[in-house]
Structure formats: C-alpha cells, structure tokens
Amino acid sequence: MKNLKLPFLLLSFCFFTLAEAQSLFKVPLDRKIEQSTLIVEGIVSGQKSFWNDKHTMIFTAHTVEVTKIFKGSLQQQTIEVMTQGGSVGGDHIEASDLLHLERGQRGIFFCQPNALQLKSPLTHRTLFDVYASSQGFFEYDASLRQANAPFASYKSISQELYPELERKTGARYRNLRPDFIVDGPRQALRQTAVSITNFFPATVNAGALLDPATNLLTIQGSGFGTPSGLAAVFFDDANDGAGGASIAVLYDDPLIVSWTDTEIQVRVPSRAGTGNISVRDDAGLSQTSGTALNVLYSILTATFNVGGINYTKESNLMNANGSGGYTIAYSTNTAGSAQDFDASTAKATFQRALATLNRTSGYNVIEGGTTTVQIIGNDGVNAVMFDNANTGQPPLPDGVLAVCYSYNSICTGDLVNFQARKLGFDIVVRNPGYSTGATVFSVGPCPPNSSDFNQIDLETVLLHELGHSLNLGHINDDFEGSAIGQLNPGKLMNFAVVNSVKRTSLDQSAKAGASYAILPQGNAYGNCTAANTEMTPLATVTETKDECPTTFPTSPIPQNTTVSFDLVNATSNRFVDPSFMQVRCDGLGAAQTNNAYYAFRTDASGGSLLLSVNNYTTEPADQTSCSEVFIGIPVTGVRLSLYLASACPAAGAYPTPVACATINGNGALSPIPGLAANTDYLIYVDGIENTKASFDLVFGGTVLPVRFTDFTGTALESFNRLAWKADLVYNTDRVIIQKSTDGINFSELGQVSRLEDIMNGSINDYAPFAKTFYRLAVINSNGSIDYSNTVMLRREVKSLVSIYPNPVKDKLYIQVNTAETSRYEFRLYNGAGQLLMAKEAEASAQVIQLPVGHLAKGLYQLTVARKGEKMETHRILVD
C-alpha cells in the first residue's frame, strides 16, 4: 500500500497507523525535494558495474538520459546515478531493500552528490546518489500513465506528479526532450492488437529457475509480434507493493525462453509479485491480463555478464563454514560512530529471529562470537552490525531500516550448467547516531503496542533481513485492517508492514520458500572456490496441528483429554486460515501469525465445554509480563476461537465463532455453554501479538442443567426487555441475568430462583447502553455455573451516560454513550450536598470507573456534565 493513514479511536486518543516496509520507513516528498540538489526526469539507457578500489564492493553506474529538470542545473543531457550491488564477471552482490535499476526504466530521480565521491567507470564524472534510495525514484508505467515508488503513487504523471513537483520546488520544469510524451490519448492506449487469452500455471515461484514446473510461465494469445524493438513481458514489482511499478523482462533477457506471435514462455523473475501481467509487442502496444498471477514465494537470483553474455542464475545456499552452513559474528567495534552490537539489546532480538529460522525452516546458520571487522564485503566474516562510517558504503539512506548484503559467485568454466553459490552475507542495521533520517525501534520481546504503537518492531525487521540472507525475495501480500490491535500483519517477505505490529513467526509463503532454498539440489558448481558443497539443513521443529485437520473425529472426545499446543514453532497460512475478521466473536480484526487447530466431537448429551490450561509458558519467558498500556488492546497471551464445523471451512469463509476466550496462564477458562450433542467443533488458537506460547488444554464438561429453548431481547422505547423459556431444569439454584458493554465483562442485572420464573421468565433493563450484551448465568446446586447464549441489543441513547450497577458496593461504572470525544466532569455528592469526589476525563463511547467501596451505605447524587454544556443528575445507592 502507498501513503496509507488509518484512524482508530480509543479512549480519548486518536491513533493512526502508517504503512511502512519491512525494512523501510516513509520519507516525505518535501524532505526528498529539500535534500536533493538535482531532480530530473529520465530514462535508464545503460549501466556498468564495477569494483571499488579496495575490491570489497560492487557498485553499478546507470546512465540516465535526462528529459526534464525540476530542480538544479546540468551542463549535459545525461547523468549517471549509483546503486549498490551488481555483477562483475563471475561475482555478484545483492543489496536488499535498496534501489535496483534496470535498462529501459524511466521516471523521476531525486539526486544528490555521491557520498563516497565515486567516479563513473565510463565517463569518469562524479556519480549521483538517489536520495532515500528506492523511495527517491518514481518509476513510470507508460501504459497506465502512472508513477509509483514505495509509499507513493500518482495516477497521472502530467496532471498530478508534474504539478506537485512544480508547486513544491517553486519553479517550472525545463523540458529538454519535447518529443518525450508520457501521457498519450487514452483511446490510443486501447488501440492494440495484443491479446492475452490465457497463462499457466496460475501460481508460480518467482526466481526459482531450477524448478521450471513452478517458475516457467506460458502466456498464450495473439499479436505478441516478434522478439525485437520494444517487446517485453511485465510483472508487478514486489519491491514496492501490489499495484505499484512493474518489472520488465525484455525480449532479449535470458529469462525469455521462447517468443512467437501467439505464445511466450518466460521464467518468472525474482522481483515479480502477485498481480496482473502485461505483454508489450515490438511496436510498443500492450495489453494487461484480466486475472492476476499468484506468486507464492520468491528466490533471489544473480545475473552474471561474462563475455558480453548475460547468465541469470538462482542463488544457492552453501556449506561455507565446513559445518553445513554459515557462521555469523556480532560486531563490537564502536569506531566511526558505530555501536557495539554484541553488547546491545538488539543482539537478543537478533538471536530470537535467528532461532525462529533455525527451528522452523532448518536454516543452518550458527553464532561464532564477535568481530571488529566493519568493512562490508565478501571477507569470510558474516557480520551483524550497526551502520557506521567505516563500512565502505554510504550511510543507510533515509527511509531504510536495515540491509542484507549477499555475496554470490559462479565458476566460469561452464556457465550454462554451473550454478551460482552464496559465499556469505552481512547485515547492517540502522544506527540513529549515524544513518540518514530517523525512526524508533521496539527491541522486544514485548510488541510496540505495549509501549508506543508508533515504533517499528526490530525483531520483525531482522527476521525479514535473515529471510534475504536465506535467499528469499519480496512478495506481495499486504497487512489487513485499520485499527491498532486489530491489524493482521502481511507475510514476512512482503514489501509492506505496518508500525505497531509484530510478525516474528514464519507464514506459509516464507516457510515454503525457505524449504525450497535450503533443500540440497545436487547442482554442479565447479571448483573455483572452496565452498562447493550445498548447505546441510538443520532438523526442524513443527507444530503437528499447524494446519486445519483433514479429517474430523467420529467419536466423542473423552473426559480429561489433554491436547498440547506449540505456538513457538507454529506458522500462519492464509490459504487455510479464517479471515482476520472471522477470529473474534465481536467481528473485529485480529492478527494471525502463529496458529494451530484441534477438532473434537461432543457426546450424546452435549452441554457445556470446560477447558483448563496447564503448563503455560512463553518464549522468551518474560513475554508473559508484557503490559497492556492501551485499554482494550491485549499485547500477550493466546486467542482461542471455537467454531461449529464438521470439516475445515474454506480459507476466509469461516462461520462466526460460537465462543471466544483468552489464555494468559494456567487455570480454568470460563465454561462454554450450549454445545449441541453429537456435533463436531473446531478450536483455533493464535498468539496475540505473535506470543510464542506452549500449553496443554484439558477437556471436560457437564450437561447444561437448564436447557433454554428461547432467550431473546427487545429494545423498547425506554427500556430493554429480556425473556426466556426452558424445557429442562435439574438441580438448579437460581438464574442470574447479566449485562455487559463489550460481551466479555458482565455485571448482574437481576436474578430469579422460583422454578416458574426459571422455566418462563422476563426482566426489564431500565438503564441500557447504546449496545448491550445479555446472558443468563445458571447457578447449579453444586456451585458450578453454566451460561446461556448471548443476546445483543442496540438502541438510540439520548442520555450522556448510563450508570451501573445501582445499587453499588465497590466500583461504579459510568458508560459514556456519545461517539464524539469531549471533556466530561463527574462529581459525587452525599445526602447533605457535600462534594465527595470530582473527576475530569476525555471520553467518548467508553466506561469510566469511580471507586465507592470506601463510602458509607446510603443515597448519593452523581452529576455528569460535558464541559460547558448540559448536566445530568443520577441518584446512586451505595449498599
């Protein structure tokens, strides 16, 4: 998503969630303009990769033919911009989450002088940096006449982007190429003979070149023309999210397998994400597919240019340390404004992310102590460090949270059959004392919502970067929802994430991609380096109930059955899971990060389900102590949902749960009443804010002594009426009628004990809320409690507040009934008119508590007034 702001009202605060990328944070356009010395429109016409003087890093110089100037001046009509990474001969360096440019791309470049003073290998002129890296290049989509960058999208280049740049720079642009027109007539765009009628397979794995069954895409249709001129296939670029810029595979790219007028076969590039595909013919006419191509996961690739020929190869994990994989070292060097990573709280955060990949994917990376090395390069040390002045790289650009540098090579003896190997990697994390721009990390293990929802979860970022080190590329699957505490994080390797959320478990896409990347393939690599054997995967730990069961039980679950859940090693799977709006009983959104399932069958009597929790632990252990700071937004524990289902529902098509509960430790959960006899049910559990918990559920239950055949409610003009009927009463002491504002926390409205009233009764609520939940609590003769179904009534409420309970013994609850946030004054007087208590609060549609347990029994008067407006008076009886 681009430039997304999502409001959420909680208490008296107005919260906003801002879309960020897994390793990016948004840079405003004004800052890009201010920090850029040159802003131009141009076309990438050529590129040349080269080693730096120390032979530690490959950079790429891109020639840009300038068509318009929005800021600054030029003596010539071309500039050269630098990006980190590229290929020279048999060596390739990949810099994750930084700008990548390809020949033929066009758009707006926000430029400033190169921080390293590097010269072009072609013209020897000083190169330009693109400010804010990938956020500083607005790429054009000529067919749609749009411009896109991470967090930015313009639906019209000439009518939206140009005027905004002119307005913010305060000057008219200079047109160096009047013949370069980005907006042709709309009708001309439709006058194309190109037609896509079909493509297969519907789901692919981007970059998995050694698995043609899931990577080779066949596109059928007509009017594709010849592989020449402007011919190309376009995919949605996963580096800036769904619906943004496209990535082109030109007709002469080695990824093109065959091209005829009616059929194209192309290997799907690693930057391709889920989205529509397009074909452009040799004359420049194009058409977009009517349906989207689904990309399950992406594997990073490297393109080597040897002897003037490009060879694109899948990157492969190797046994680089002689122990089956790679060894990482934590930097202790503080020179160049660095921080000691080994001594920082970020180390434990990194270790948690690494342990997740070790256990759930088998990624063979081990810790090897510390290092003082700060140079970024293929030096045999896989360093984890904070950004600093001695890396040999520019400071991390504004908007970038972390970067993984991957070092690949290929033996040049047989470039057709030899495969590329990953020799090592370095991970650099944003340093607030050195890197460009600023943001704040939450280092965990508690999520940002336990302290500041504006923070970005560092463990999520590090797990994402470790995913890049494992050769996973970006995919498109964004977060869902709008309110803090109700957001569902996107997939781990998705371009976009949102501040305040925590995604520290693998999703199905990342796990499938990791399994593919780690599995030894027996490829030929040659003997030009020592690392010529493939990685040996570690043993993995799995939650056997990670997916919804394929078969449901045919016999009732025995009493005291114990079922173990392991959410430490569980994943999520949107191809199986309920939608994020189908987990909570109130219909609000919920995060889905690490979940598990269990199906059971009731006996011939049905009744109440009693669940007890044993052996509850979290990893790490102090995750249980994460405190809720925003009322109503839990930050730890496990969410449990119970569905009536005789088979796994289709993904995203689950029914409303019949019951919901929260697990925060050992002990009995509230009874779940009203289960039907001889019926299948499905339990779904998921870690709140990615809580990694292990626990046992012990099953028990009793037949409901009172079987209600009818429990209904009606909202009348001035009160709510509740009525019920029962056809079975056995060993029942009394029935308590309860009410609630949220369906979770109930208080007593009244009670009945006569058999006639239990069998057929009613009660009126003369102080209802705008939305009131009701249930019947059955007190059995043995002291146990069972509950009826819950009834919810809505009504127009004219009063500012509702007061309950009344009479009151301990705490008085004041329900504010207006949706508008205002400042309220609450004053409590005794019978003599003396002021005993006064309180002011910003409130809207919420509950305020007043402690009255210390007061003597008697009649009191409560006044409630909206600041400067009308006042209400309520009589309160303290019992």
Side-chain angles (χ1 to χ4, degrees), residues 435-548:
S435 304
T436 309
T439 192
V440 179
F441 285 126
S442 173
V443 298
C446 295
N449 283 340
S450 66
S451 54
D452 183 348
F453 64 86
N454 287 306
Q455 294 179 350
I456 297 171
D457 184 65
L458 179 60
E459 188 175 345
T460 301
V461 174
L462 292 175
L463 186 60
H464 177 90
E465 292 306 318
L466 279 168
H468 285 312
S469 79
L470 193 152
N471 285 339
L472 296 181
H474 288 150
I475 48 101
N476 285 339
D477 195 333
D478 212 346
F479 69 91
E480 299 173 294
S482 60
I484 297 170
Q486 300 171 24
L487 296 175
N488 187 25
K491 290 182 180 177
L492 175 65
M493 299 311 297
N494 178 50
F495 157 78
V497 72
V498 67
N499 56 311
S500 89
V501 304
K502 190 175 181 69
R503 155 66 81 180
T504 54
S505 293
L506 297 186
D507 55 80
Q508 187 264 356
S509 170
K511 187 169 184 177
S515 297
Y516 173 82
I518 291 170
L519 185 67
Q521 300 183 21
N523 299 319
Y525 297 97
N527 296 303
C528 59
T529 65
N532 59 1
T533 59
E534 297 172 339
M535 172 179 281
T536 302
L538 299 174
T540 58
V541 181
T542 60
E543 161 58 84
T544 58
K545 299 175 292 302
D546 205 8
E547 307 290 0
C548 191

Side-chain angles (χ1 to χ4, degrees), residues 300 315-321 323-328 350 353-367 382 404-406 422-427 462-472 506 510-511 513-515 517-519 535-541:
L300 294 177
S315 183
N316 291 270
L317 299 174
M318 308 302 291
N319 173 19
N321 60 4
S323 298
Y326 303 91
T327 301
I328 58 100
F350 182 89
L354 180 58
T356 296
L357 274 183
N358 289 157
R359 288 183 314 217
T360 57
S361 75
Y363 189 32
N364 194 337
V365 172
I366 60 176
E367 297 176 283
N382 302 308
C404 176
Y405 294 92
S406 298
K422 171 169 270 188
L423 301 180
F425 57 88
D426 292 312
I427 293 178
L462 292 175
L463 186 60
H464 177 90
E465 292 306 318
L466 279 168
H468 285 312
S469 79
L470 193 152
N471 285 339
L472 296 181
L506 297 186
K511 187 169 184 177
S515 297
I518 291 170
L519 185 67
M535 172 179 281
T536 302
L538 299 174
T540 58
V541 181

Side-chain angles (χ1 to χ4, degrees), residues 262-307:
T262 58
E263 183 177 280
I264 299 170
Q265 286 195 316
V266 56
R267 294 183 175 93
V268 180
S270 63
R271 281 177 62 178
T274 295
N276 297 84
I277 59 173
S278 299
V279 174
R280 186 175 67 193
D281 69 8
D282 52 317
L285 300 177
S286 63
Q287 189 192 56
T288 300
S289 63
T291 58
L293 174 70
N294 181 52
V295 176
L296 177 59
Y297 60 79
S298 170
I299 300 297
L300 294 177
T301 58
T303 298
F304 304 92
N305 186 284
V306 181

